[in-house]
Amino acid sequence: MTESSGITSFKDIAKAKKIGSTAGTCSQVSLKLMAKKANVSYDKLNVVNIAPPIFASAFTGGGIDAAVGWAPWTMTLPPGVKVVSWDSEYGGVCPSINGLRPEYIAKYPSVPQRLFAVQAEAREAIAKNPQLAIDALQRSLQISPAVAKEFYEKHCCSRMPTFEQQLDPNSPWSLVNPAGGLAAQALLASQMLHELGTIPAPLKPEMIAEAIDPAPLRKFLSEQKTGERKTGER
């Protein structure tokens, strides 16, 4: 939010003259949740459909005086613009999802295990040398070294849920809790997008449950533990 907007938290969202938000993403979902929490009609907000990488130039040019987005673009804002609320304050949802079509898995059953193995190897390498992740973020997102470092320290890698947390029914990242974790986040996001008219109908809980399959991750962890035991027995 710009300092001149008079907005000090999401509760002041009605004060914004023009709000940058990206249709069909967690940016739009978050803005809808903010409006609900602040008892403001979303229809009365003047929303400009632009992507987070463009927020900085839109703020500079006066095209918007508020925006809802995600890192690292919240770290590239011009002077006089600051972040005043985080998703934990209004119940925002923005899960990262890796998905494969069932027919693809049936054709290439080893792919999920290979993807988990690559992720595990990457986590281990980054834990030993964080600069690997910082350099990769800088290259892939075309951001400065300073922003890449800040992004890594505040949001990346070590803050990602572990495989074990994803199989814990009580975890906020759970893949096994049909009423919580990823399933709950996906349901809420679909409900908000439906209310906004972005999608024709919200997802049904049973549809979401069918789309989340923790079996490949369970298999990977089981095989990993078996491999560790065999290595220890030698």
Side-chain angles (χ1 to χ4, degrees), residues 31-166:
L31 183 55
K32 177 67 173 179
L33 289 169
M34 286 182 193
K36 278 181 170 287
K37 196 98 172 186
N39 292 316
V40 174
S41 172
Y42 184 93
D43 295 335
K44 293 184 178 180
L45 300 176
N46 186 2
V47 183
V48 182
N49 183 19
I50 57 175
I54 307 175
F55 286 171
S57 58
F59 273 117
T60 300
I64 58 175
D65 62 340
V68 183
W70 53 81
W73 315 116
T74 50
M75 302 170 178
T76 61
L77 301 174
V81 179
K82 62 181 181 179
V83 176
V84 296
S85 288
W86 298 97
D87 54 4
S88 59
E89 298 174 42
Y90 54 85
V93 292
C94 195
S96 296
I97 300 173
N98 296 317
L100 295 171
R101 293 182 180 277
E103 56 268 25
Y104 184 85
I105 297 176
K107 188 175 182 180
Y108 305 104
S110 67
V111 170
Q113 308 307 308
R114 291 163 67 183
L115 289 175
F116 289 132
V118 168
Q119 188 178 139
E121 185 177 346
R123 290 188 185 209
E124 184 177 351
I126 291 170
K128 294 177 180 177
N129 182 9
Q131 193 62 43
L132 291 173
I134 296 171
D135 291 344
L137 288 167
Q138 182 188 350
R139 288 194 303 271
S140 62
L141 298 175
Q142 295 295 297
I143 53 181
S144 70
V147 171
K149 185 174 185 294
E150 183 183 4
F151 182 29
Y152 170 81
E153 292 174 347
K154 290 185 176 180
H155 301 285
C156 184
C157 308
S158 63
R159 297 180 181 273
M160 292 174 61
T162 65
F163 293 145
E164 290 77 11
Q165 286 175 319
Q166 294 175 63

Side-chain angles (χ1 to χ4, degrees), residues 95 97 174-192 199 201-214:
I97 300 173
S174 177
L175 299 179
V176 298
N177 186 342
L182 178 60
Q185 292 185 50
L187 180 61
L188 178 59
S190 75
Q191 291 170 340
M192 295 300 99
I199 59 176
L203 298 174
K204 296 180 179 179
E206 55 269 26
M207 183 187 301
I208 295 173
E210 186 179 350
I212 300 174
D213 184 7

Side-chain angles (χ1 to χ4, degrees), residues 216-232:
L217 181 54
R218 283 200 183 103
K219 180 180 178 183
F220 173 76
L221 287 181
S222 176
E223 292 178 350
Q224 195 175 49
K225 290 177 181 177
T226 300
E228 291 173 355
R229 283 199 299 270
K230 288 182 178 179
T231 301

